[in-house]
């Protein structure tokens, strides 16, 4: 389907890649990887014929349809979202326009027996048949399904395109590409503006897509779930691996190990040859021998290795002080913007050491809840921090708060304390700042570079309660792994919003979900949560567990908070209520323990009871924390 014939692309600083020949077949799903600036986006532009190669050529079958999602989408139209997509298929538009013309003629003409009139009837029949073949009658239904899959609501369909943000325009453009069934789909960072549910939907779509797909993405799990082949742009070459991303990384590491050994041997051989040349070139009797060694050295193809400065870096978040047993309490918290109620009557206590992922579709109020918790905005209700709690907040606009007059090095050097200061250059390298980059002023950095610098600064700030809003945006896969390891080893508490499933998976022990203006707490794994949200049963979770879990984990709405002068009395009532509920729950747990003891191991009853037991124990822990706080 796609053939590269001695393909080269040249920039003033040199070739991005040179003399590349390879073939991509119909149905192949390919991940395109490489360091920033390696030429990944350029290669997609070459395939989509937006730019021409410096040398060589790309061969495509005639009339090949290509859908190319770029990072710099420009959609300049006042049309509604639905109309933008409805009019995006040229073939359907032609058929519908021509059918309208024919119908108008059939109504106005009276020469029913003429050849021209009969010809119109034949043409209308052919067009209706063609319309049916290309599934024109289900076109509007497909538009609706695709938009909803990508996170749009029914109320968005009639909104003008110019009212949407850049991220939502990107989703609309992605919908346009998918709906028009191209032969080849080229996607440049498609998950950047998608929420975690929409990413799962897109994965399912691409897995079933019959054409070729080439994807640039920093989402490791997305690449693993969709692609079966990986192309890496490295040192002017395009390396081809018949594996998805994770397996490619393993094979690539093994290959690099062999290459490093070969380079060491070559370096020894070159050094020895140079010593012989220096030894014999001044002697007339050995001059010819020295010249032959020089020619041999000139013909030697030097082995090059692209250095991986990230893999060896280990970073940990410094813990300021150990806080008390609970770090955060929300009581009767509510937030709305005008008539748009995001959430109300949130009542929850967060214990020390909890690792929480705040998930859900875009627009439900995740970032707003984080701003509420950090008291950055006005809200109703009460937010309290526990004893010795030090909050560090990473907002999506954190990069805008950096001092533009400082250099990259000064920005982190002002924050760092202790032994970690001697590793600042290595840490900056982890976030793609190396060499002269560290002396750049913040004012000249791009938006992505500033975001990475702000996150690096966060890593060096002592705290015991982290609140992170999309910290992985603009990070490559290796940098995200460094950040994830740091969070896994973090001894404090954190709440994190992220759409990167591979990053979130295994990182947290709670999932918060804003749904219907309230908050649900799930103890599911990430995959179970996604299955639950996609209206499927979580893997290994039966109906009984699902019902019991829902009863336990839903944060129920309580009465609004009372006035301050009644608080002591109300606290006493709450203590009594909690003690009764704790006693009742302990009895329930004891009964489940008895059922477990009487169940056959490996039976369905045993696993159902075990799941129920774990859920009740978790809920008991939450009640005990709240009871201790009220004492």
């Amino acid at each position: 389907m796609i053939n590269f014939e001695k393909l080269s692309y040249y920039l003033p600083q040199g070739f991005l890649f040179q003399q590349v020949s390879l073939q991509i077949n119909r149905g192949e799903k390919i991940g395109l990887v490489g360091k920033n600036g390696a030429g990944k986006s350029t290669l997609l532009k070459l395939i989509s014929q937006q730019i021409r190669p410096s040398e060589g050529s790309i061969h495509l079958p005639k009339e090949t349809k290509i859908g190319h999602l770029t990072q710099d989408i420009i959609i300049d139209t006042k049309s509604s979202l639905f109309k933008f997509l409805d009019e995006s298929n040229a073939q359907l538009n032609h058929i519908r326009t021509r059918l309208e013309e024919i119908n108008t003629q059939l109504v106005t003409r009276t020469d029913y027996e003429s050849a021209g009139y009969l010809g119109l009837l034949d043409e209308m029949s052919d067009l209706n048949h063609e319309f049916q073949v290309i599934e024109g009658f289900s076109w509007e239904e497909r538009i609706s399904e695709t938009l909803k899959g990508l996170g749009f609501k029914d109320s968005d369909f009639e909104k003008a395109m110019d009212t949407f943000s850049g991220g939502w325009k990107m989703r609309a453009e992605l919908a346009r590409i998918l709906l028009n069934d191209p032969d080849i789909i080229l996607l440049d960072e498609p998950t950047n503006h998608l929420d975690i549910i929409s990413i799962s939907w897109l994965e399912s779509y691409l897995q079933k897509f019959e054409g070729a797909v080439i994807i640039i993405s920093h989402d490791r799990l997305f690449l693993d779930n969709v692609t079966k082949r990986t192309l890496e742009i490295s040192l002017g070459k395009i390396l081809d691996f018949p594996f998805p991303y994770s397996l490619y990384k393993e094979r690539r590491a093994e290959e690099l190990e062999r290459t490093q050994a070969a380079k060491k041997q070559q370096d020894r051989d070159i050094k020895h040859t140079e010593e012989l040349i220096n030894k014999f070139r001044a002697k007339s009797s050995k001059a010819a021998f020295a010249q032959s060694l020089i020619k041999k050295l000139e013909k030697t193809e030097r082995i090059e290795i692209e250095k991986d400065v990230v893999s060896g870096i280990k970073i940990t978040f410094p813990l300021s002080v150990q806080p008390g047993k609970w770090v955060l309490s929300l009581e009767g918290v509510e937030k709305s913007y005008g008539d748009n109620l995001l959430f109300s009557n949130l009542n929850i206590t967060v214990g020390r050491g909890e690792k929480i992922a705040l998930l859900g579709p875009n627009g439900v109020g995740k970032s707003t809840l984080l701003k509420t918790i950090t008291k950055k905005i006005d809200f109703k209700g009460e937010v309290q921090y526990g004893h010795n709690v030090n909050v560090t907040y990473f907002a999506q606009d954190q990069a805008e708060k950096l001092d533009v007059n400082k250099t990259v090095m000064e920005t982190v050097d002002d924050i760092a304390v202790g032994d970690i200061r001697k590793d600042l250059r290595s840490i900056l390298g982890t976030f793609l700042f190396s060499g002269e980059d560290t002396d750049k002023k913040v004012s000249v950095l791009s938006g992505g570079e500033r975001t990475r610098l702000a996150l690096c600064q966060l890593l060096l700030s002592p705290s015991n309660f982290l609140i992170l809003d999309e910290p992985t945006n603009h990070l490559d896969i290796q940098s995200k792994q460094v950040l994830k390891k740091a969070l896994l080893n973090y001894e404090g508490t954190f709440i994190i919003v992220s759409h990167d499933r591979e990053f979130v998976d295994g990182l947290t022990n709670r999932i918060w979900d804003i749904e219907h203006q309230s908050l649900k707490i799930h103890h599911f794994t990430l995959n179970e949560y996604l299955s639950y949200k996609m209206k499927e049963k979580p893997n290994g979770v039966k109906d009984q567990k699902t019902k019991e879990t829902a009863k336990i984990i839903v944060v129920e709405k309580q009465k609004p908070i009372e006035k301050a002068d009644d608080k002591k009395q109300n606290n006493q009532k709450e203590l009594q209520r909690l003690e009764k509920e704790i006693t009742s729950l302990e009895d329930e747990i004891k009964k489940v323990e008895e059922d477990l003891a009487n169940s056959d191991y490996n039976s369905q009853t045993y696993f159902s009871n075990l799941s129920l037991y774990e859920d009740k124990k978790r809920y008991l822990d939450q009640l005990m924390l709240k009871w201790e706080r009220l004492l």
Side-chain angles (χ1 to χ4, degrees), residues 564-618:
D565 54 359
D566 296 327
K567 192 166 185 178
K568 185 174 180 180
Q569 182 179 355
N570 289 334
N571 280 353
Q572 189 61 37
K573 289 181 180 179
E574 179 66 4
L575 269 173
Q576 293 174 357
R577 188 193 69 78
L578 281 171
E579 287 169 355
K580 288 181 180 179
E581 189 172 358
I582 288 169
T583 301
S584 175
L585 190 57
E586 285 175 338
D587 291 339
E588 292 176 23
I589 291 172
K590 185 175 180 181
K591 175 66 170 60
V592 177
E593 287 175 340
E594 293 173 357
D595 292 340
L596 272 172
N598 296 326
S599 301
D600 292 332
Y601 181 69
N602 278 337
S603 68
Q604 182 57 53
T605 302
Y606 177 85
F607 287 109
S608 295
N609 285 332
L610 182 61
S611 297
L612 186 60
Y613 172 78
E614 291 173 348
D615 290 329
K616 289 181 180 292
K617 285 287 287 182
R618 291 189 189 102

Side-chain angles (χ1 to χ4, degrees), residues 120-361:
L120 288 175
L121 290 175
D122 289 339
E123 185 182 358
M124 183 173 69
S125 177
D126 291 341
L127 288 172
N128 276 316
H129 177 69
E130 184 182 354
F131 196 74
Q132 185 174 10
V133 167
I134 62 176
E135 298 182 340
F137 293 106
S138 62
W139 177 243
E140 293 187 357
E141 183 182 349
R142 287 175 59 202
I143 291 175
S144 178
E145 289 176 354
T146 303
L147 287 176
K148 290 178 180 178
L150 291 173
F152 289 97
K153 300 174 183 175
D154 288 330
S155 57
D156 295 325
F157 289 9
E158 297 306 318
K159 289 182 180 178
M161 284 298 300
D162 59 2
T163 64
F164 288 103
S165 67
W168 286 101
K169 285 181 179 178
M170 187 281 294
R171 294 191 191 209
E173 175 64 10
L174 179 57
R176 186 192 66 79
I177 290 170
L178 300 182
L179 280 165
N180 284 282
D181 294 325
D183 302 297
I184 301 167
I185 293 179
L186 309 176
L187 301 176
D188 195 345
E189 296 292 355
T191 64
N192 267 2
H193 298 284
L194 298 182
D195 58 65
I196 207 162
I197 304 300
S198 300
I199 292 172
S200 295
W201 180 90
L202 179 59
E203 267 183 6
S204 298
Y205 184 98
L206 294 176
Q207 287 165 355
K208 298 170 186 174
F209 179 67
E210 295 180 355
V213 180
I214 304 177
I215 302 169
I216 300 170
S217 179
H218 288 155
D219 189 326
R220 179 178 187 148
L221 189 60
F222 184 74
L223 289 174
D224 278 345
N225 288 344
V226 175
T227 67
K228 301 296 181 186
R229 181 180 173 188
T230 302
L231 300 178
E232 179 190 2
I233 303 177
S234 175
L235 299 173
K237 300 176 182 178
I238 298 183
L239 309 176
D240 194 351
F241 298 85
F243 313 111
Y245 183 84
S246 292
L247 190 53
Y248 139 77
K249 286 297 289 183
E250 293 178 14
R251 297 291 188 270
R252 181 70 167 127
E254 294 169 359
E255 184 179 292
L256 282 172
E257 192 174 338
R258 291 191 294 269
T259 304
Q260 286 170 346
K263 179 172 172 53
K264 286 180 181 179
Q265 183 59 49
Q266 186 185 67
D267 290 344
R268 287 193 292 267
D269 293 342
I270 290 171
K271 183 179 179 181
H272 179 62
T273 302
E274 289 173 340
E275 289 172 350
L276 289 175
I277 291 170
N278 292 332
K279 181 178 180 181
F280 295 126
R281 72 193 315 168
K283 297 181 179 180
S284 57
S285 60
K286 298 289 185 179
F289 175 62
Q291 285 299 315
S292 68
L293 290 177
I294 291 172
K295 289 180 181 178
K296 177 184 175 183
L297 204 58
E298 289 173 348
K299 292 179 181 179
T300 299
E301 187 174 342
R302 304 295 176 102
I303 297 172
E304 293 182 277
I305 297 176
E306 195 166 49
K307 292 183 179 180
D308 182 358
V309 297
V310 177
S311 59
I313 300 295
K314 293 182 180 179
I315 301 175
T316 56
F317 284 100
L319 191 70
S320 54
V321 293
Q322 194 69 261
K325 287 188 176 181
W326 65 276
V327 298
L328 174 70
S329 171
L330 306 182
E331 294 185 21
V333 170
E334 178 180 317
K335 180 61 184 177
S336 61
Y337 290 102
D339 295 332
N340 182 21
L341 177 64
L342 294 176
F343 44 79
S344 65
N345 287 333
L346 300 189
N347 299 275
I348 190 168
T349 300
V350 176
R352 182 178 65 207
E354 286 192 32
K355 321 292 185 185
I356 298 163
L358 176 56
L359 305 179

